Amino acid sequence: FPSHDSEPKRVPSAKEKKEQLDQQDGKCANCDTKTTEADSRSHHYPTRHADGGTETVQVCKDCHKDLHKKD
């Protein structure tokens, strides 16, 4: 089996997610509406995880669905 040690981390920890949301003033990075940790999703941006992206932003559930419809 291939080793997953060299793969970029896919999902931020709860602490990282909270820090990202705090940096975004508690708003979705896509539509700028208020969101909570429970209602936000981590989205790889600007590069998809499948393409080696490691950076994430927090987006609301609806935006996350819409963003992935475009992929």
Side-chain angles (χ1 to χ4, degrees):
F1 292 103
S3 171
H4 296 288
D5 293 341
S6 62
E7 287 186 16
K9 187 169 151 184
R10 189 167 186 97
V11 180
S13 69
K15 180 183 176 192
E16 291 167 328
K17 185 176 177 177
K18 181 184 181 329
E19 289 171 354
Q20 287 174 346
L21 202 53
D22 287 347
Q23 289 173 353
Q24 296 170 204
D25 295 324
K27 296 179 181 177
C28 170
N30 192 58
C31 70
D32 213 32
T33 59
K34 280 283 193 188
T35 189
T36 64
E37 290 171 60
D39 289 333
S40 68
R41 300 292 178 261
S42 298
H43 182 71
H44 284 87
Y45 177 86
T47 306
R48 295 179 334 145
H49 185 266
D51 295 331
T54 58
E55 299 296 318
T56 59
V57 294
Q58 298 303 310
V59 295
C60 66
K61 288 179 189 179
D62 291 337
C63 282
H64 197 239
K65 286 179 197 172
D66 289 343
L67 289 164
H68 280 280
K69 284 181 187 174
K70 297 174 188 173
D71 282 352

